[in-house]
Amino acid sequence: MAQVIQLDPERPDQEAIERAAAVINGGGLVAFPTETVYGLGADAMNASAVQKIFEAKARPADNPLIVHVGDRDMLNDVASGVTESGELLIRKFWPGPLTLVLERRSQVTSAVSAGLPTVAVRMPRNNIALALIRCAGTPIAAPSANISGRPSPTRASHVIEDLSTRIDIILDGGTTNIGIESTVLDMTSVPPAILRPGWITAEMLNELIGPVECATSDEELRRSPGTRHRHYSPRARVVLIERGSAEFIERVCRGHLAEGGVGFIGHTPMVIDDASFSSIQIGERAEDYAYSIYPGLRELDKKSPAVIVVEGLSGDGRVVAVMDRLRRAASETGRQKEF
Ligand code: TXA
Ligand code: MG
């Protein structure tokens, strides 16, 4: 069983950080909070430690991991070929929810990148994560700390649900601020390409470095291997209503009741007087959705409904990232189901 250690997210206890860093240095697995979601960390320079991440998550071996660095210098141990635009992005958005795909240095075990010549790197904006990486003195490879295909964890209890028997330590720093994963930007292409939309939007990137591509074509999706797999899904089947009136949503929910229970999450209040119906109402902003979607899906799933109906949002900016995750959770077949 993993040891769960509660920490003050602002000033984490140094002794606990040292204990977790020793586990990383010994080739073990430590789950830790970031500003986006919880990560499952191992020493990025240690091939057998990285292998353990794939085993613990049951993650397909062709899905590369993000390497987390504790400062700008550590990036030099991990990647090369940082362009002028790359430097601008790092200065403006690190630490923060922006992952850059760069040329991988050979010290980083190729298992991290699923054999790709590139590596995805970010510096998380979370004092526990930063203290852990700096204390371990090594970059930490960390995917989201969930069983592959399940909604990403935004609190330690989610990590415990999925992984407690498979990892060494869980650092509990409370609820993550943002709630969905970082933006992934491929800096090895011209112009740079967004492989996964996130909190740092296309508009924000464009303003700083000029045109960026949004990877949606088949060729671009192949560049982010994780996008091929099923992802973010609870056990129930997810039905996404991209747009619809309250009456329409209610009709959809009622229509699925006969299948064996329905959960609903959205900003429209939904009351249906039926024991097999449960609903979670959340705020209407992209921020509210990002914060509530993964824990909401997990909570509804505990009642084992056959179907979870999700009300979408329309708009640009951060709504794009939210809708990307919802579409992946909802899609029945096909490549876009998982990261
Ligand atoms: O916010 C986040 O990014 C969280 C926290 C823990 O940092 N991490 C996370 O990791 O979401 P993960 O493994 O769940 O997602 C990694 C994504 C996948 O879509 C993967 O395909 C992409 O990054 N990726 C990783 N390395 C890549 C590479 N070399 N080239 C292209 N895409 C890469
Ligand atoms: Mg993930």
Side-chain angles (χ1 to χ4, degrees):
M1 282 303 247
Q3 186 187 1
V4 182
I5 306 177
Q6 252 144 31
L7 290 175
D8 178 337
E10 294 312 317
R11 290 161 198 269
D13 173 53
Q14 188 56 24
E15 226 172 275
I17 292 292
E18 280 167 19
R19 210 175 328 146
V23 168
I24 293 287
N25 292 135
L29 300 182
V30 175
F32 58 93
T34 78
E35 78 279 39
T36 58
V37 300
Y38 275 74
L40 175 59
D43 181 355
M45 309 306 208
N46 178 336
S48 69
V50 167
Q51 190 49 40
K52 288 186 197 165
I53 293 180
F54 285 88
E55 283 160 20
K57 280 187 58 115
R59 183 177 176 102
D62 65 353
N63 190 356
L65 311 176
I66 293 173
V67 174
H68 297 68
V69 295
D71 52 50
R72 175 64 184 81
D73 279 353
M74 211 182 258
L75 176 63
N76 298 334
D77 302 336
V78 174
S80 57
V82 182
T83 58
E84 224 170 277
S85 296
E87 293 294 353
L88 282 174
L89 292 168
I90 288 167
R91 248 176 278 142
K92 171 122 180 140
F93 294 115
W94 281 12
L98 177 66
T99 296
L100 301 178
V101 174
L102 299 162
E103 289 158 36
R104 176 168 55 86
R105 286 207 190 273
S106 55
Q107 302 93 290
V108 178
T109 173
S110 69
V112 160
S113 297
L116 294 170
T118 53
V119 63
V121 193
R122 81 178 193 100
M123 190 192 298
R125 184 181 282 274
N126 177 289
N127 285 344
I128 296 174
L130 290 172
L132 176 67
I133 301 162
R134 289 172 188 162
C135 183
T138 185
I140 295 183
S144 49
N146 51 286
I147 297 275
S148 203
R150 301 261 300 137
S152 295
T154 57
R155 10 188 120 136
S157 61
H158 302 155
V159 184
I160 296 169
E161 266 166 33
D162 278 16
L163 296 172
S164 70
T165 60
R166 305 175 182 211
I167 67 178
D168 300 298
I169 290 186
I170 297 170
L171 298 179
D172 180 352
T175 306
T176 60
N177 302 331
I178 295 174
I180 61 172
E181 306 81 352
S182 62
T183 306
V184 177
L185 183 68
D186 186 353
M187 296 302 293
T188 68
S189 68
V190 182
I194 296 177
L195 302 181
R196 177 174 72 182
W199 226 228
I200 308 297
T201 63
E203 294 85 348
M204 292 158 79
L205 296 169
N206 183 272
E207 193 176 311
L208 192 67
I209 61 165
V212 294
E213 239 169 33
C214 296
T216 48
S217 71
D218 285 0
E219 145 60 19
E220 285 156 345
L221 282 172
R222 264 200 300 280
R223 280 159 39 192
S224 188
T227 57
R228 284 199 300 265
H229 304 282
R230 181 182 155 85
H231 213 180
Y232 310 128
S233 297
R235 293 183 188 88
R237 185 156 64 89
V238 175
V239 172
L240 173 63
I241 299 178
E242 302 238 353
R243 230 199 162 117
S245 63
E247 293 70 30
F248 177 75
I249 297 169
E250 184 177 337
R251 223 176 318 131
V252 171
C253 289
R254 286 189 186 279
H256 287 292
L257 273 176
E259 289 169 46
V262 172
F264 169 77
I265 182 164
H267 59 84
T268 298
M270 197 52 52
V271 183
I272 296 179
D273 191 14
D274 187 302
S276 60
F277 179 78
S278 45
S279 88
I280 295 176
Q281 194 190 344
I282 60 181
E284 201 173 348
R285 299 172 312 150
E287 284 77 6
D288 302 318
Y289 264 65
Y291 193 76
S292 306
I293 272 299
Y294 290 146
L297 289 173
R298 279 182 183 262
E299 195 183 320
L300 289 172
D301 216 24
K302 287 204 176 113
K303 297 184 175 144
S304 304
V307 173
I308 295 176
V309 177
V310 182
E311 176 181 19
L313 291 177
S314 43
D316 47 19
R318 289 171 169 167
V319 168
V320 174
V322 166
M323 288 305 288
D324 168 76
R325 305 310 189 274
L326 292 182
R327 290 191 186 110
R328 287 177 207 282
S331 60
E332 293 279 74
T333 53
R335 213 182 40 240
Q336 288 197 46
K337 238 181 158 173
E338 171 172 349
F339 265 62

